Amino acid sequence: MSVPLHYVVKTRLVEVVEGLGEGAALPPERVLAKEFGVSRWTMRQAIRELIADGRLRARQGQGTFVATPKLVQPLALVSYTEALRAQGHTPAREVVEFDELPADAVLADRLGIAEGEPVHRLERVLFADGQPIGLETTYLAVERFPTLKAVLDPTGSLYRCLTDQLGVRFGEGEELVETVIATPREAELLKATQSLPMLLLHRTSRDTAGRPIEAVRSLYRGDRVGFRATLRP
Amino acid sequence: MSVPLHYVVKTRLVEVVEGLGEGAALPPERVLAKEFGVSRWTMRQAIRELIADGRLRARQGQGTFVATPKLVQPLALVSYTEALRAQGHTPAREVVEFDELPADAVLADRLGIAEGEPVHRLERVLFADGQPIGLETTYLAVERFPTLKAVLDPTGSLYRCLTDQLGVRFGEGEELVETVIATPREAELLKATQSLPMLLLHRTSRDTAGRPIEAVRSLYRGDRVGFRATLRP
DNA sequence: AAGTGGTCTAGACCACTCC
DNA sequence: GAGTGGTCTAGACCACTTG
């Protein structure tokens, strides 16, 4: 049993998936389990991994389907809207929260303000072609952007608002990338299955003078999105 | 049951973990399950997620332990050895394969050669402080680097060999980042538990003239490593 | 109402580590 | 041999979608 049974099932299931077209429905789990001669748990483990790998997609009450290839987003200080449009996809946003709260120690440090100072919080679900792919939470110091709430259309581009209306000039930024498991709340907002691996990005943007502009926490569905970075020597 | 039981268990287990120090052992799964009043499956699901999140670490036959914080590696064209040393960690490598094989269509395209042309393959496990954290497979065209096999110490820095001995000058490169589930072989080489989310990086490096130097596939343990990128406007 | 995926249980056996 | 995590089974019920 050096190779787990569910992995053997996974490799055999991959062949089935490759024989089907994008969006095609798989047989129900219970049927597949019987066909492969394994328990439903083993079958689900194989399916679960193919979902995490972005090869399959499950919808409760409907079935399991062959997924479309992952999107590749640029890892750069560009507008989400423009990046998606450039690849021929349709972007959209949905505002979850747009409020103010006092900065905790970590956030205050990233924004270069004192702990407890008020910050704007803008939390939005990002869509591509109608599918939720990411949950983006942006924090900006109220002191630095006192008019933000009045000026910004929260369904529009924050990047564009900052540069065009508020005269911000973006300099270098820093981004941290890691994998995490989404919380139930995050999974629900992203309409993703529970316990799915996600890509968590933490960005700190600075202006040309090196002053912090924003702190961003972006959680992207690991089964739907990848990122591209340009490396310089 | 809108919030799964295993998630409730997870959040309560986090409190337990935070009350322990790094490296401390948790009670056995069967004991924890009884204490929390859930089945072992539910308990394992909670533990499994905390392992993926990098909070816990399981060793078969030994127990489950509180993990150390994730390493943060730079997403840049620098030597793995130097990057780790700069953070005060001890790097090491172990050669798995160092051979030649004909390029398939995808690899040939990335390296700018014809399909079927021979390429060097160097596959190594990367260690930090004695722990395996990544599996790196590098492909280079034999035609371009015919002396590589004779010149390179496969346990040393490939980056250094290319720049110092073979006169290569690195220009811009491109890196793709995504999450995947490791195969049993990869999990075993990385001494990781099965079905653990990993960070998969695909790099194509070019010289200052824009010619491809290497194609690299790096698989990093998602529970042990994160990456940092510098963003430019 | 029927059928789908999602969660959970109780119990079994395997594989590994340490005594 | 004892104790640990790892895999697997059979079966149950829940939650959601569609007819």
Side-chain angles (χ1 to χ4, degrees):
Chain A
M1 200 201 293
S2 72
V3 173
L5 182 55
H6 64 77
Y7 184 75
V8 177
V9 172
K10 180 182 179 185
T11 55
R12 286 171 59 194
L13 189 55
V14 165
E15 293 169 17
V16 174
V17 169
E18 282 171 347
L20 299 170
E22 278 176 24
L26 258 68
E29 294 175 352
R30 292 162 176 85
V31 173
L32 284 172
K34 184 155 280 185
E35 281 181 7
F36 283 96
V38 298
S39 71
R40 194 178 158 210
W41 183 91
T42 304
M43 197 68 234
R44 275 182 66 77
Q45 183 66 27
I47 292 173
R48 174 202 192 89
E49 293 197 11
L50 286 177
I51 289 172
D53 285 338
R55 310 281 308 251
L56 291 178
R57 184 160 180 184
R59 282 194 287 259
Q60 186 169 165
Q62 293 183 44
T64 307
F65 306 87
V66 180
T68 53
K70 288 185 184 178
L71 283 177
V72 178
Q73 288 271 93
L75 211 55
L77 289 169
V78 297
S79 160
Y80 167 77
T81 310
E82 288 163 18
L84 262 190
R85 285 233 176 82
Q87 294 176 68
H89 296 282
T90 307
R93 296 186 188 83
E94 200 175 284
V95 179
V96 180
E97 296 275 3
F98 188 19
D99 53 5
E100 278 183 28
L101 46 82
D104 63 23
V106 174
L107 189 54
D109 181 59
R110 290 176 67 194
L111 290 176
I113 60 177
E115 190 176 343
E117 289 285 300
V119 293
H120 298 289
R121 171 176 59 180
L122 177 56
E123 186 176 33
R124 304 188 284 190
V125 178
L126 308 177
F127 295 83
D129 304 323
Q131 303 291 331
I133 59 164
L135 178 64
E136 185 184 80
T137 314
T138 306
Y139 301 92
L140 306 101
V142 172
E143 186 184 23
R144 173 143 189 211
F145 302 106
T147 63
L148 186 73
K149 197 125 191 182
V151 171
L152 175 69
D153 166 17
T155 64
S157 170
L158 172 62
Y159 182 85
R160 173 143 294 182
C161 174
L162 289 172
T163 53
D164 294 357
Q165 296 183 61
L166 297 175
V168 173
R169 295 184 57 189
F170 279 82
E172 285 205 344
E174 184 184 71
E175 190 123 57
L176 282 142
V177 186
E178 62 177 330
T179 61
V180 295
I181 304 296
T183 65
R185 173 180 179 270
E186 293 165 342
E188 190 176 357
L189 284 169
L190 293 173
K191 292 181 174 46
T193 61
Q194 298 276 1
S195 307
L196 189 75
M198 301 275 178
L199 279 171
L200 176 61
L201 280 64
H202 268 118
R203 169 182 300 186
T204 306
S205 308
R206 298 171 189 282
D207 61 20
T208 48
R211 287 194 306 164
I213 298 169
E214 55 167 9
V216 189
R217 178 190 190 274
S218 304
L219 188 75
Y220 284 90
R221 290 182 55 159
D223 61 334
R224 305 286 304 121
V225 187
F227 288 90
R228 185 203 320 271
T230 299
L231 309 175
R232 291 177 179 80
Chain B
M1 199 201 293
S2 73
V3 172
L5 181 55
H6 64 77
Y7 184 75
V8 177
V9 172
K10 179 183 179 182
T11 55
R12 286 172 59 195
L13 189 55
V14 165
E15 293 168 19
V16 174
V17 169
E18 282 171 348
L20 298 169
E22 278 177 23
L26 258 69
E29 292 175 352
R30 291 161 176 86
V31 173
L32 283 173
K34 185 155 278 186
E35 280 181 6
F36 282 97
V38 299
S39 71
R40 194 177 158 211
W41 183 91
T42 304
M43 198 67 232
R44 275 182 66 77
Q45 184 64 27
I47 292 173
R48 175 201 193 89
E49 293 196 10
L50 287 177
I51 288 173
D53 285 339
R55 310 282 305 254
L56 291 179
R57 179 157 184 189
R59 282 194 286 261
Q60 186 168 164
Q62 294 183 43
T64 308
F65 306 87
V66 180
T68 52
K70 287 185 186 181
L71 283 177
V72 178
Q73 288 272 91
L75 211 55
L77 289 169
V78 298
S79 161
Y80 167 77
T81 310
E82 287 162 20
L84 262 190
R85 285 233 176 81
Q87 294 175 70
H89 295 283
T90 306
R93 296 187 188 83
E94 199 175 283
V95 179
V96 180
E97 296 275 3
F98 188 19
D99 54 3
E100 277 184 32
L101 46 82
D104 64 22
V106 175
L107 189 53
D109 182 58
R110 289 176 69 195
L111 290 176
I113 59 177
E115 190 177 343
E117 289 285 301
V119 293
H120 298 289
R121 171 175 60 180
L122 176 57
E123 186 177 35
R124 304 188 284 190
V125 179
L126 307 177
F127 294 82
D129 304 322
Q131 304 292 329
I133 59 165
L135 178 66
E136 185 183 80
T137 313
T138 307
Y139 301 92
L140 306 102
V142 172
E143 186 185 22
R144 173 142 189 211
F145 301 105
T147 64
L148 187 73
K149 196 124 192 184
V151 171
L152 176 69
D153 165 17
T155 65
S157 170
L158 172 62
Y159 183 85
R160 174 143 293 181
C161 173
L162 289 173
T163 52
D164 294 356
Q165 296 184 60
L166 296 176
V168 172
R169 296 184 57 189
F170 279 83
E172 286 205 342
E174 185 184 70
E175 191 123 56
L176 281 142
V177 185
E178 62 177 329
T179 61
V180 295
I181 305 296
T183 65
R185 173 180 180 269
E186 293 165 341
E188 190 177 356
L189 284 169
L190 294 173
K191 292 182 175 43
T193 62
Q194 298 277 0
S195 308
L196 188 76
M198 302 275 177
L199 279 172
L200 176 62
L201 280 64
H202 268 118
R203 170 182 300 187
T204 305
S205 309
R206 298 171 191 283
D207 62 19
T208 48
R211 286 193 308 165
I213 298 169
E214 54 167 10
V216 189
R217 178 189 190 274
S218 305
L219 187 76
Y220 284 91
R221 289 180 57 157
D223 61 335
R224 304 287 303 121
V225 186
F227 288 90
R228 184 203 320 273
T230 299
L231 309 174
R232 291 176 178 81

